[in-house]
PDB file of all heavy atoms in Angstrom:
ATOM      1  N   ALA R  21      31.804  22.710-190.976  1.00  0.00           N
ATOM      2  CA  ALA R  21      32.667  21.793-190.044  1.00  0.00           C
ATOM      3  C   ALA R  21      31.806  21.320-188.891  1.00  0.00           C
ATOM      4  O   ALA R  21      32.179  20.425-188.189  1.00  0.00           O
ATOM      5  CB  ALA R  21      33.894  22.555-189.593  1.00  0.00           C
ATOM      6  N   TYR R  22      30.607  21.999-188.617  1.00  0.00           N
ATOM      7  CA  TYR R  22      29.797  21.620-187.503  1.00  0.00           C
ATOM      8  C   TYR R  22      28.827  20.569-187.851  1.00  0.00           C
ATOM      9  O   TYR R  22      28.243  20.573-188.915  1.00  0.00           O
ATOM     10  CB  TYR R  22      29.080  22.894-186.928  1.00  0.00           C
ATOM     11  CG  TYR R  22      29.935  24.082-186.679  1.00  0.00           C
ATOM     12  CD1 TYR R  22      29.861  25.277-187.251  1.00  0.00           C
ATOM     13  CD2 TYR R  22      31.019  23.881-185.794  1.00  0.00           C
ATOM     14  CE1 TYR R  22      30.728  26.344-187.024  1.00  0.00           C
ATOM     15  CE2 TYR R  22      31.942  24.934-185.497  1.00  0.00           C
ATOM     16  CZ  TYR R  22      31.686  26.145-186.055  1.00  0.00           C
ATOM     17  OH  TYR R  22      32.624  27.121-185.811  1.00  0.00           O
ATOM     18  N   PRO R  23      28.506  19.714-186.892  1.00  0.00           N
ATOM     19  CA  PRO R  23      27.377  18.630-187.115  1.00  0.00           C
ATOM     20  C   PRO R  23      26.002  19.320-187.191  1.00  0.00           C
ATOM     21  O   PRO R  23      25.926  20.469-186.734  1.00  0.00           O
ATOM     22  CB  PRO R  23      27.546  17.798-185.842  1.00  0.00           C
ATOM     23  CG  PRO R  23      28.371  18.531-184.879  1.00  0.00           C
ATOM     24  CD  PRO R  23      29.091  19.531-185.634  1.00  0.00           C
ATOM     25  N   GLU R  24      25.074  18.541-187.589  1.00  0.00           N
ATOM     26  CA  GLU R  24      23.692  19.126-187.844  1.00  0.00           C
ATOM     27  C   GLU R  24      23.077  19.832-186.644  1.00  0.00           C
ATOM     28  O   GLU R  24      22.478  20.897-186.743  1.00  0.00           O
ATOM     29  CB  GLU R  24      22.828  17.934-188.319  1.00  0.00           C
ATOM     30  CG  GLU R  24      21.427  18.371-188.736  1.00  0.00           C
ATOM     31  CD  GLU R  24      21.461  19.312-189.963  1.00  0.00           C
ATOM     32  OE1 GLU R  24      22.454  19.364-190.728  1.00  0.00           O
ATOM     33  OE2 GLU R  24      20.489  20.009-190.113  1.00  0.00           O
ATOM     34  N   PRO R  25      23.173  19.280-185.396  1.00  0.00           N
ATOM     35  CA  PRO R  25      22.485  19.957-184.278  1.00  0.00           C
ATOM     36  C   PRO R  25      23.092  21.450-184.121  1.00  0.00           C
ATOM     37  O   PRO R  25      22.366  22.305-183.802  1.00  0.00           O
ATOM     38  CB  PRO R  25      22.852  19.146-183.146  1.00  0.00           C
ATOM     39  CG  PRO R  25      23.050  17.684-183.642  1.00  0.00           C
ATOM     40  CD  PRO R  25      23.744  17.961-185.018  1.00  0.00           C
ATOM     41  N   VAL R  26      24.352  21.600-184.256  1.00  0.00           N
ATOM     42  CA  VAL R  26      24.995  22.908-184.059  1.00  0.00           C
ATOM     43  C   VAL R  26      24.557  23.812-185.278  1.00  0.00           C
ATOM     44  O   VAL R  26      24.280  25.013-185.163  1.00  0.00           O
ATOM     45  CB  VAL R  26      26.500  22.817-184.057  1.00  0.00           C
ATOM     46  CG1 VAL R  26      27.173  24.170-183.932  1.00  0.00           C
ATOM     47  CG2 VAL R  26      26.958  21.936-182.849  1.00  0.00           C
ATOM     48  N   ARG R  27      24.551  23.229-186.494  1.00  0.00           N
ATOM     49  CA  ARG R  27      24.224  24.113-187.563  1.00  0.00           C
ATOM     50  C   ARG R  27      22.714  24.666-187.366  1.00  0.00           C
ATOM     51  O   ARG R  27      22.367  25.741-187.897  1.00  0.00           O
ATOM     52  CB  ARG R  27      24.103  23.188-188.875  1.00  0.00           C
ATOM     53  CG  ARG R  27      25.573  22.653-189.365  1.00  0.00           C
ATOM     54  CD  ARG R  27      25.391  22.176-190.823  1.00  0.00           C
ATOM     55  NE  ARG R  27      26.722  21.449-191.184  1.00  0.00           N
ATOM     56  CZ  ARG R  27      26.854  20.980-192.374  1.00  0.00           C
ATOM     57  NH1 ARG R  27      25.924  21.148-193.289  1.00  0.00           N
ATOM     58  NH2 ARG R  27      27.935  20.420-192.746  1.00  0.00           N
ATOM     59  N   LYS R  28      21.862  23.746-186.960  1.00  0.00           N
ATOM     60  CA  LYS R  28      20.452  24.112-186.791  1.00  0.00           C
ATOM     61  C   LYS R  28      20.325  25.490-185.880  1.00  0.00           C
ATOM     62  O   LYS R  28      19.491  26.306-186.152  1.00  0.00           O
ATOM     63  CB  LYS R  28      19.631  23.070-186.246  1.00  0.00           C
ATOM     64  CG  LYS R  28      19.250  22.070-187.308  1.00  0.00           C
ATOM     65  CD  LYS R  28      18.175  21.079-186.667  1.00  0.00           C
ATOM     66  CE  LYS R  28      17.685  20.028-187.703  1.00  0.00           C
ATOM     67  NZ  LYS R  28      16.831  19.030-187.219  1.00  0.00           N
ATOM     68  N   ILE R  29      21.196  25.483-184.777  1.00  0.00           N
ATOM     69  CA  ILE R  29      21.141  26.570-183.852  1.00  0.00           C
ATOM     70  C   ILE R  29      21.610  27.808-184.650  1.00  0.00           C
ATOM     71  O   ILE R  29      21.068  28.851-184.413  1.00  0.00           O
ATOM     72  CB  ILE R  29      22.129  26.323-182.688  1.00  0.00           C
ATOM     73  CG1 ILE R  29      21.722  25.174-181.885  1.00  0.00           C
ATOM     74  CG2 ILE R  29      22.012  27.527-181.778  1.00  0.00           C
ATOM     75  CD1 ILE R  29      20.268  25.177-181.285  1.00  0.00           C
ATOM     76  N   ILE R  30      22.650  27.702-185.508  1.00  0.00           N
ATOM     77  CA  ILE R  30      23.275  28.885-186.154  1.00  0.00           C
ATOM     78  C   ILE R  30      22.223  29.324-187.293  1.00  0.00           C
ATOM     79  O   ILE R  30      22.026  30.518-187.457  1.00  0.00           O
ATOM     80  CB  ILE R  30      24.554  28.429-186.886  1.00  0.00           C
ATOM     81  CG1 ILE R  30      25.627  28.108-185.834  1.00  0.00           C
ATOM     82  CG2 ILE R  30      25.097  29.496-187.766  1.00  0.00           C
ATOM     83  CD1 ILE R  30      26.955  27.656-186.297  1.00  0.00           C
ATOM     84  N   TYR R  31      21.630  28.489-188.118  1.00  0.00           N
ATOM     85  CA  TYR R  31      20.884  29.021-189.202  1.00  0.00           C
ATOM     86  C   TYR R  31      19.282  29.125-188.961  1.00  0.00           C
ATOM     87  O   TYR R  31      18.644  29.534-189.821  1.00  0.00           O
ATOM     88  CB  TYR R  31      21.052  28.169-190.621  1.00  0.00           C
ATOM     89  CG  TYR R  31      20.514  26.794-190.546  1.00  0.00           C
ATOM     90  CD1 TYR R  31      19.134  26.480-190.553  1.00  0.00           C
ATOM     91  CD2 TYR R  31      21.399  25.686-190.726  1.00  0.00           C
ATOM     92  CE1 TYR R  31      18.671  25.267-190.650  1.00  0.00           C
ATOM     93  CE2 TYR R  31      20.833  24.371-190.831  1.00  0.00           C
ATOM     94  CZ  TYR R  31      19.545  24.173-190.891  1.00  0.00           C
ATOM     95  OH  TYR R  31      18.998  22.963-190.975  1.00  0.00           O
ATOM     96  N   THR R  32      18.851  28.693-187.788  1.00  0.00           N
ATOM     97  CA  THR R  32      17.539  28.866-187.430  1.00  0.00           C
ATOM     98  C   THR R  32      17.146  30.361-187.479  1.00  0.00           C
ATOM     99  O   THR R  32      17.877  31.202-186.975  1.00  0.00           O
ATOM    100  CB  THR R  32      17.114  28.244-186.134  1.00  0.00           C
ATOM    101  OG1 THR R  32      15.742  28.513-185.863  1.00  0.00           O
ATOM    102  CG2 THR R  32      17.897  29.001-184.989  1.00  0.00           C
ATOM    103  N   THR R  33      16.021  30.758-188.146  1.00  0.00           N
ATOM    104  CA  THR R  33      15.586  32.090-188.262  1.00  0.00           C
ATOM    105  C   THR R  33      14.882  32.624-186.946  1.00  0.00           C
ATOM    106  O   THR R  33      14.745  33.785-186.746  1.00  0.00           O
ATOM    107  CB  THR R  33      14.585  32.257-189.429  1.00  0.00           C
ATOM    108  OG1 THR R  33      13.369  31.428-189.148  1.00  0.00           O
ATOM    109  CG2 THR R  33      15.196  31.785-190.738  1.00  0.00           C
ATOM    110  N   ASN R  34      14.510  31.722-186.081  1.00  0.00           N
ATOM    111  CA  ASN R  34      13.615  32.103-184.890  1.00  0.00           C
ATOM    112  C   ASN R  34      14.355  32.967-183.969  1.00  0.00           C
ATOM    113  O   ASN R  34      13.895  33.914-183.340  1.00  0.00           O
ATOM    114  CB  ASN R  34      13.076  30.870-184.227  1.00  0.00           C
ATOM    115  CG  ASN R  34      12.016  30.143-184.987  1.00  0.00           C
ATOM    116  OD1 ASN R  34      11.466  30.728-185.923  1.00  0.00           O
ATOM    117  ND2 ASN R  34      11.875  28.876-184.791  1.00  0.00           N
ATOM    118  N   ALA R  35      15.770  32.717-183.825  1.00  0.00           N
ATOM    119  CA  ALA R  35      16.513  33.307-182.706  1.00  0.00           C
ATOM    120  C   ALA R  35      16.532  34.904-182.926  1.00  0.00           C
ATOM    121  O   ALA R  35      16.138  35.542-181.969  1.00  0.00           O
ATOM    122  CB  ALA R  35      17.899  32.681-182.685  1.00  0.00           C
ATOM    123  N   ILE R  36      17.009  35.317-184.009  1.00  0.00           N
ATOM    124  CA  ILE R  36      17.166  36.679-184.285  1.00  0.00           C
ATOM    125  C   ILE R  36      16.067  37.376-185.027  1.00  0.00           C
ATOM    126  O   ILE R  36      15.739  38.517-184.849  1.00  0.00           O
ATOM    127  CB  ILE R  36      18.648  36.975-184.894  1.00  0.00           C
ATOM    128  CG1 ILE R  36      18.989  38.371-184.742  1.00  0.00           C
ATOM    129  CG2 ILE R  36      18.591  36.555-186.330  1.00  0.00           C
ATOM    130  CD1 ILE R  36      19.448  38.816-183.184  1.00  0.00           C
ATOM    131  N   GLU R  37      15.418  36.622-185.966  1.00  0.00           N
ATOM    132  CA  GLU R  37      14.492  37.210-186.922  1.00  0.00           C
ATOM    133  C   GLU R  37      13.294  37.675-186.084  1.00  0.00           C
ATOM    134  O   GLU R  37      12.725  38.749-186.423  1.00  0.00           O
ATOM    135  CB  GLU R  37      14.139  36.204-188.049  1.00  0.00           C
ATOM    136  CG  GLU R  37      15.222  36.016-189.069  1.00  0.00           C
ATOM    137  CD  GLU R  37      15.541  37.339-189.744  1.00  0.00           C
ATOM    138  OE1 GLU R  37      14.782  37.762-190.445  1.00  0.00           O
ATOM    139  OE2 GLU R  37      16.571  37.882-189.376  1.00  0.00           O
ATOM    140  N   SER R  38      12.706  36.910-185.159  1.00  0.00           N
ATOM    141  CA  SER R  38      11.484  37.180-184.415  1.00  0.00           C
ATOM    142  C   SER R  38      11.749  38.354-183.577  1.00  0.00           C
ATOM    143  O   SER R  38      10.822  39.267-183.405  1.00  0.00           O
ATOM    144  CB  SER R  38      10.996  36.036-183.598  1.00  0.00           C
ATOM    145  OG  SER R  38      11.960  35.622-182.691  1.00  0.00           O
ATOM    146  N   LEU R  39      12.964  38.480-183.008  1.00  0.00           N
ATOM    147  CA  LEU R  39      13.447  39.586-182.190  1.00  0.00           C
ATOM    148  C   LEU R  39      13.359  40.916-183.000  1.00  0.00           C
ATOM    149  O   LEU R  39      12.870  41.871-182.709  1.00  0.00           O
ATOM    150  CB  LEU R  39      14.754  39.366-181.445  1.00  0.00           C
ATOM    151  CG  LEU R  39      15.280  40.373-180.631  1.00  0.00           C
ATOM    152  CD1 LEU R  39      14.301  40.701-179.413  1.00  0.00           C
ATOM    153  CD2 LEU R  39      16.714  40.023-180.073  1.00  0.00           C
ATOM    154  N   ASN R  40      14.125  40.810-184.208  1.00  0.00           N
ATOM    155  CA  ASN R  40      14.259  41.990-185.044  1.00  0.00           C
ATOM    156  C   ASN R  40      12.833  42.414-185.455  1.00  0.00           C
ATOM    157  O   ASN R  40      12.629  43.626-185.676  1.00  0.00           O
ATOM    158  CB  ASN R  40      15.087  41.630-186.220  1.00  0.00           C
ATOM    159  CG  ASN R  40      16.610  41.584-185.838  1.00  0.00           C
ATOM    160  OD1 ASN R  40      16.894  42.069-184.707  1.00  0.00           O
ATOM    161  ND2 ASN R  40      17.468  41.208-186.650  1.00  0.00           N
ATOM    162  N   MET R  41      12.038  41.517-185.787  1.00  0.00           N
ATOM    163  CA  MET R  41      10.639  41.886-186.300  1.00  0.00           C
ATOM    164  C   MET R  41       9.968  42.743-185.337  1.00  0.00           C
ATOM    165  O   MET R  41       9.278  43.720-185.728  1.00  0.00           O
ATOM    166  CB  MET R  41       9.933  40.646-186.668  1.00  0.00           C
ATOM    167  CG  MET R  41       8.597  40.869-187.454  1.00  0.00           C
ATOM    168  SD  MET R  41       7.720  39.289-187.749  1.00  0.00           S
ATOM    169  CE  MET R  41       8.891  38.425-188.745  1.00  0.00           C
ATOM    170  N   SER R  42       9.941  42.339-184.025  1.00  0.00           N
ATOM    171  CA  SER R  42       9.167  43.188-183.079  1.00  0.00           C
ATOM    172  C   SER R  42       9.926  44.469-182.748  1.00  0.00           C
ATOM    173  O   SER R  42       9.158  45.478-182.660  1.00  0.00           O
ATOM    174  CB  SER R  42       9.212  42.287-181.693  1.00  0.00           C
ATOM    175  OG  SER R  42      10.499  42.013-181.200  1.00  0.00           O
ATOM    176  N   LEU R  43      11.224  44.608-182.964  1.00  0.00           N
ATOM    177  CA  LEU R  43      11.841  45.886-182.741  1.00  0.00           C
ATOM    178  C   LEU R  43      11.667  46.751-183.895  1.00  0.00           C
ATOM    179  O   LEU R  43      11.435  47.936-183.759  1.00  0.00           O
ATOM    180  CB  LEU R  43      13.419  45.593-182.563  1.00  0.00           C
ATOM    181  CG  LEU R  43      13.872  44.870-181.351  1.00  0.00           C
ATOM    182  CD1 LEU R  43      15.397  44.710-181.280  1.00  0.00           C
ATOM    183  CD2 LEU R  43      13.343  45.539-180.062  1.00  0.00           C
ATOM    184  N   ARG R  44      11.627  46.206-185.108  1.00  0.00           N
ATOM    185  CA  ARG R  44      11.404  46.987-186.283  1.00  0.00           C
ATOM    186  C   ARG R  44       9.963  47.593-186.307  1.00  0.00           C
ATOM    187  O   ARG R  44       9.840  48.758-186.634  1.00  0.00           O
ATOM    188  CB  ARG R  44      11.610  46.240-187.639  1.00  0.00           C
ATOM    189  CG  ARG R  44      13.078  45.903-187.953  1.00  0.00           C
ATOM    190  CD  ARG R  44      13.050  45.432-189.286  1.00  0.00           C
ATOM    191  NE  ARG R  44      14.623  44.955-189.719  1.00  0.00           N
ATOM    192  CZ  ARG R  44      15.034  43.803-189.597  1.00  0.00           C
ATOM    193  NH1 ARG R  44      14.177  42.835-189.233  1.00  0.00           N
ATOM    194  NH2 ARG R  44      16.328  43.496-189.798  1.00  0.00           N
ATOM    195  N   LYS R  45       9.076  46.893-185.784  1.00  0.00           N
ATOM    196  CA  LYS R  45       7.653  47.305-185.727  1.00  0.00           C
ATOM    197  C   LYS R  45       7.583  48.551-184.858  1.00  0.00           C
ATOM    198  O   LYS R  45       6.880  49.593-185.196  1.00  0.00           O
ATOM    199  CB  LYS R  45       6.733  46.235-185.241  1.00  0.00           C
ATOM    200  CG  LYS R  45       5.300  46.574-185.236  1.00  0.00           C
ATOM    201  CD  LYS R  45       4.425  45.444-184.719  1.00  0.00           C
ATOM    202  CE  LYS R  45       2.965  45.913-184.650  1.00  0.00           C
ATOM    203  NZ  LYS R  45       2.074  44.774-184.086  1.00  0.00           N
ATOM    204  N   ILE R  46       8.223  48.542-183.693  1.00  0.00           N
ATOM    205  CA  ILE R  46       8.265  49.563-182.795  1.00  0.00           C
ATOM    206  C   ILE R  46       8.966  50.933-183.398  1.00  0.00           C
ATOM    207  O   ILE R  46       8.514  51.896-183.217  1.00  0.00           O
ATOM    208  CB  ILE R  46       8.821  49.268-181.475  1.00  0.00           C
ATOM    209  CG1 ILE R  46       7.906  48.214-180.695  1.00  0.00           C
ATOM    210  CG2 ILE R  46       9.147  50.346-180.571  1.00  0.00           C
ATOM    211  CD1 ILE R  46       8.541  47.532-179.511  1.00  0.00           C
TER     212      ILE R  46
END
């Protein structure tokens, strides 16, 4: 139901994945 700009924020991997990667390493 969301337009493309909102979708990109939701499905982009950078927001949570990069954070989790650094935490998992530690």
